[in-house]
Amino acid sequence: MASSGARGTNFSIGGEQAEADPLLMEAFYESDDYRTVSSREDPRCFVIARTGGGKSALLQRLEEEHPDHVVRVAPEDLSLGYITSLGVMRYLDELDVSLDPLFIALWKHVLLVELIRHRYKVDSYAAKMNFLTTLREKIKRDPGKRVALDYLEDFQDRFWVEADERVREITEKFEEKINSETKGTFGLASNQVANASATVGSGTADTFATETRRELTERFQRIVNETQMARLNKMIKVLDEDILDSRQNFTYVVIDDLDRDWVDEKISNALIRCLFRAVLDLHRVKNLKVIVALRTNIFENLDFGHRTGGQEEKFRSLSLHMRWGPAELRDLVSSRLRVATKKHGVPVNSISDVLPRVNTARGDAFDYMLARTLMRPRDIIAFVNETFAISAGSGRTSWEDIKNAEDSYSYKRLLALRDEWKMTYPDIDRVFAIFAGAVVPMSKEEFTRRIDDAALLLADPYFRGTEWLDYMTSNMWNNPAASWVGWYGPLLALLYNIGFVGCTTGRQSTVRYVRMFPDFAERVSNLEAADGFTIHPAFQAALDVRVDSLRQSG
């Protein structure tokens, strides 16, 4: 690309987010992960990755390739925020009533109806009646299936309305049952019912004496457990044998954006966990694959082991953790570059053709750039675009262009890391800032001093992360006899697991980062052995971190 006209100031190899990426379809890189997800034979259906790891792009590509066989269920269209904000849900949760049967039934209902609507184009009362007539004729010799079909009749003329209306209707009927039970079965006075949520919604479980509370819990749990589950499960059999009954009717359901901010984290986690259980039950449908995309940190917080009766191993065996290697990211960038430069009339075959030539002193420029990413498409696309913006129209980029672009790129990556984790760890960027000006690798003493400074943020009345930071540093204040790992291990593990720091141990000079060693921080012995600490290169420029080559080699 020798011509200075090959690139302009606005030249790029695409957007950093799938939703705003003009090259997503033209320059899509078909990775092994995509082939796994799109495979009708491979059962893995839970796509787990960090922000920017390519989950949404993968699902969009699937829709593009199979437009007539993909149903997208958007969480924002299901009134899930409405469900999590209902006082009755909070109240029952305080009573330790398991809402899982209700949530599983809701997910199965949504998925079942969306699949029927898609398969039979049900968008009116007449279309619904035609579908029911056809299906009744098909299953007329099976009494069990005929009973299951009555489930759909319960919705009468509401069958084809939008999914959020159906979810609201089911939830409101459930709320009415709880309110009626509170008033009727327990003979509560009107003021007690009001306290219990006016009817149930705004009260707390502490309103009642222990005996009444126990009775309420048991009765409400029975109501939850009776939520249409038997007929729904029979309808799944109908779905398998009579609706999606051939390979030509094979259907993918894709569910993304489950990481949006909801009202109550505990109940929203229960909703996601129950979605996983519903998907597990739907695995019996041969010509169906439900694909759920979820951020890594949310997946790890779902508490499968305690909440799903020992099904954690099943969920993990059906999970695909997206990871990118250097060769894949190089191919992805080159593929995008070919498409983008062709549009400008001067096609370029490889990213190596526009970066500085490899030399013994500085090495490979693309490897240098990759080392300053968390090995995600979004990171390397952003770095390449920043470099092109600096070097617009100058042919090959230079090392100076890359270094100049790194300042802006690093600052934006640090902001992105903050945004990725700020809901779970408010003001975590103030912890990042404590490492500004560090010389790396840091000794254990230097790292300890900075962690001590981070702990002192608890004294700042404007610090918004008091809850999580107090939890992680509690041993520092309350257990003077604890070991170094007892004091500093929780915060070190957090900073390691989110990709902010890396560790070296003993004579091992290779820095361990979470991408290559995801379980390193899970073992106390590893944290105890760590004696060198480095800020990830992606964030060094933003924090004015200096690398001491003598320390690094020594």
Side-chain angles (χ1 to χ4, degrees):
M1 194 161 69
S3 170
S4 62
R7 296 195 308 270
T9 305
N10 296 323
F11 179 85
S12 78
I13 60 168
E16 298 168 30
Q17 298 183 356
E19 298 81 0
D21 185 0
L23 299 183
L24 177 62
M25 290 303 112
E26 290 181 83
F28 181 80
Y29 178 76
E30 190 171 294
S31 64
D32 285 343
D33 287 341
Y34 176 74
R35 287 188 285 273
T36 296
V37 169
S38 61
S39 169
R40 298 182 178 189
E41 284 71 39
D42 196 306
R44 285 174 286 181
C45 57
F46 302 126
V47 184
I48 314 300
R50 288 187 59 174
T51 299
K55 303 183 302 296
S56 297
L58 183 150
L59 296 185
Q60 285 191 31
R61 178 63 171 188
L62 189 69
E63 286 184 279
E64 178 83 8
E65 285 205 324
H66 307 279
D68 297 326
H69 294 270
V70 176
V71 177
R72 178 177 282 270
V73 175
E76 61 266 30
D77 295 338
L78 299 181
S79 294
L80 296 179
Y82 166 78
I83 294 172
T84 60
S85 65
L86 277 177
V88 67
M89 299 300 180
R90 296 173 183 274
Y91 175 75
L92 294 176
D93 188 59
E94 287 180 22
L95 282 171
D96 293 325
V97 174
S98 172
L99 295 168
D100 286 10
L102 171 67
F103 293 158
I104 293 170
L106 278 173
W107 280 117
K108 285 183 178 180
H109 173 82
V110 166
L111 295 173
L112 175 66
V113 173
E114 290 304 306
L115 284 164
I116 291 173
R117 280 164 49 104
H118 176 265
R119 170 74 174 83
Y120 293 100
K121 308 295 186 291
V122 178
D123 56 5
S124 67
Y125 180 77
K128 178 209 170 186
M129 295 310 297
N130 288 337
F131 148 69
L132 286 175
T133 301
T134 301
L135 194 55
R136 281 193 185 282
E137 180 65 24
K138 197 172 186 179
I139 65 174
K140 62 183 180 182
R141 292 183 176 86
D142 189 323
K145 289 181 179 180
R146 291 204 309 270
V147 171
L149 205 57
D150 290 340
Y151 172 81
L152 300 180
E153 290 283 16
D154 289 349
F155 294 91
Q156 298 176 7
D157 59 344
R158 307 278 298 166
F159 188 85
W160 65 86
V161 299
E162 293 303 320
D164 66 319
E165 292 186 47
R166 295 194 302 272
V167 169
R168 281 176 180 260
E169 183 179 22
I170 293 171
T171 308
E172 285 165 2
K173 285 181 178 178
F174 171 76
E175 187 177 21
E176 287 172 8
K177 282 186 180 180
I178 297 296
N179 289 336
S180 176
E181 198 67 35
T182 306
K183 290 179 180 177
T185 303
F186 298 98
L188 297 177
S190 58
N191 65 322
Q192 288 177 295
V193 175
N195 287 338
S197 112
T199 49
V200 172
S202 60
T204 69
D206 294 332
T207 304
F208 305 104
T210 302
E211 185 175 348
T212 305
R213 176 192 171 100
R214 187 185 308 114
E215 194 177 356
L216 279 168
T217 301
E218 291 174 356
R219 181 55 187 162
F220 290 155
Q221 189 65 67
R222 282 195 293 273
I223 294 175
V224 173
N225 294 345
E226 291 166 359
T227 311
Q228 299 282 6
M229 194 62 76
R231 289 200 297 170
L232 264 172
N233 288 336
K234 288 179 180 176
M235 271 306 303
I236 291 175
K237 184 179 180 182
V238 175
L239 179 68
D240 178 37
E241 298 178 358
D242 304 290
I243 297 175
L244 301 180
D245 54 346
S246 69
R247 295 299 277 178
Q248 69 184 39
N249 292 324
F250 190 97
T251 305
Y252 301 93
V253 175
V254 299
I255 304 175
D256 197 4
D257 297 327
L258 285 163
D259 50 2
R260 299 290 170 88
D261 303 334
W262 291 349
V263 176
D264 187 303
E265 182 180 348
K266 185 176 179 181
I267 294 179
S268 66
N269 281 348
L271 276 165
I272 297 173
R273 192 174 60 248
C274 291
L275 168 61
F276 276 52
R277 293 178 65 180
V279 171
L280 198 61
D281 288 346
L282 285 164
H283 257 256
R284 72 183 82 162
V285 182
K286 294 183 291 294
N287 294 312
L288 173 67
K289 188 169 187 177
V290 183
I291 303 165
V292 181
L294 197 63
R295 262 192 3 221
T296 303
N297 61 308
I298 297 177
F299 178 75
E300 295 299 337
N301 287 333
L302 289 180
D303 192 21
F304 287 121
H306 293 91
R307 298 281 187 166
T308 59
Q311 291 184 308
E312 180 176 10
E313 187 176 348
K314 291 182 182 179
F315 293 127
R316 295 192 180 278
S317 69
L318 293 174
S319 299
L320 174 68
H321 290 265
M322 293 185 68
R323 293 189 176 91
W324 294 81
E328 287 182 308
L329 289 172
R330 185 182 288 268
D331 287 347
L332 179 146
V333 169
S334 293
S335 174
R336 286 172 165 272
L337 185 64
R338 282 193 292 273
V339 173
T341 53
K342 185 177 181 180
K343 290 177 180 290
H344 282 68
V346 188
V348 172
N349 187 54
S350 168
I351 187 65
S352 301
D353 296 337
V354 295
L355 292 180
R357 292 182 173 85
V358 177
N359 63 61
T360 54
R362 287 185 162 178
D364 186 298
F366 192 76
D367 288 345
Y368 175 91
M369 297 173 79
L370 270 186
R372 281 147 185 79
T373 72
L374 298 184
M375 298 301 286
R376 302 178 294 191
R378 182 176 299 179
D379 296 345
I380 191 61
I381 290 171
F383 202 169
V384 170
N385 284 342
E386 290 280 357
T387 303
F388 284 161
I390 293 288
S391 66
S394 61
R396 270 189 185 269
T397 59
S398 66
W399 278 101
E400 184 180 5
D401 293 331
I402 294 172
K403 294 294 289 184
N404 288 337
E406 186 177 348
D407 290 339
S408 174
Y409 161 79
S410 180
Y411 174 72
K412 292 175 182 177
R413 288 305 92 199
L414 191 62
L415 291 180
L417 188 69
R418 175 204 66 187
D419 292 343
E420 182 178 358
W421 296 99
K422 66 183 180 182
M423 292 305 298
T424 309
Y425 306 107
D427 269 356
I428 194 171
D429 52 312
R430 295 189 59 183
V431 176
F432 300 158
I434 284 170
F435 292 88
V439 178
V440 297
M442 291 173 279
S443 66
K444 181 171 280 191
E445 291 74 20
E446 170 65 9
F447 183 77
T448 298
R449 183 184 68 77
R450 291 182 186 264
I451 293 293
D452 284 339
D453 289 345
L456 292 176
L457 287 170
L458 292 170
D460 184 343
Y462 297 104
F463 179 66
R464 292 173 295 177
T466 302
E467 184 175 348
W468 69 264
L469 187 58
D470 181 61
Y471 173 78
M472 291 200 165
T473 60
S474 60
N475 273 345
M476 296 171 65
W477 313 112
N478 304 319
N479 189 1
S483 64
W484 186 89
V485 170
W487 278 14
Y488 301 105
L491 204 47
L492 168 58
L494 168 64
L495 296 176
Y496 179 89
N497 286 332
I498 67 174
F500 182 70
V501 302
C503 303
T504 56
T505 57
R507 296 181 178 275
Q508 175 59 260
S509 60
T510 302
V511 182
R512 296 171 185 265
Y513 292 110
V514 67
R515 192 193 75 85
M516 291 299 295
F517 302 93
D519 299 323
F520 176 82
E522 304 306 312
R523 296 183 60 181
V524 171
S525 59
N526 287 339
L527 300 181
E528 192 69 66
D531 55 11
F533 305 87
T534 299
I535 305 302
H536 193 287
F539 315 114
Q540 289 178 3
L543 293 170
D544 198 24
V545 169
R546 183 167 62 85
V547 178
D548 187 324
S549 56
L550 292 179
R551 285 191 194 179
Q552 210 167 34
S553 60

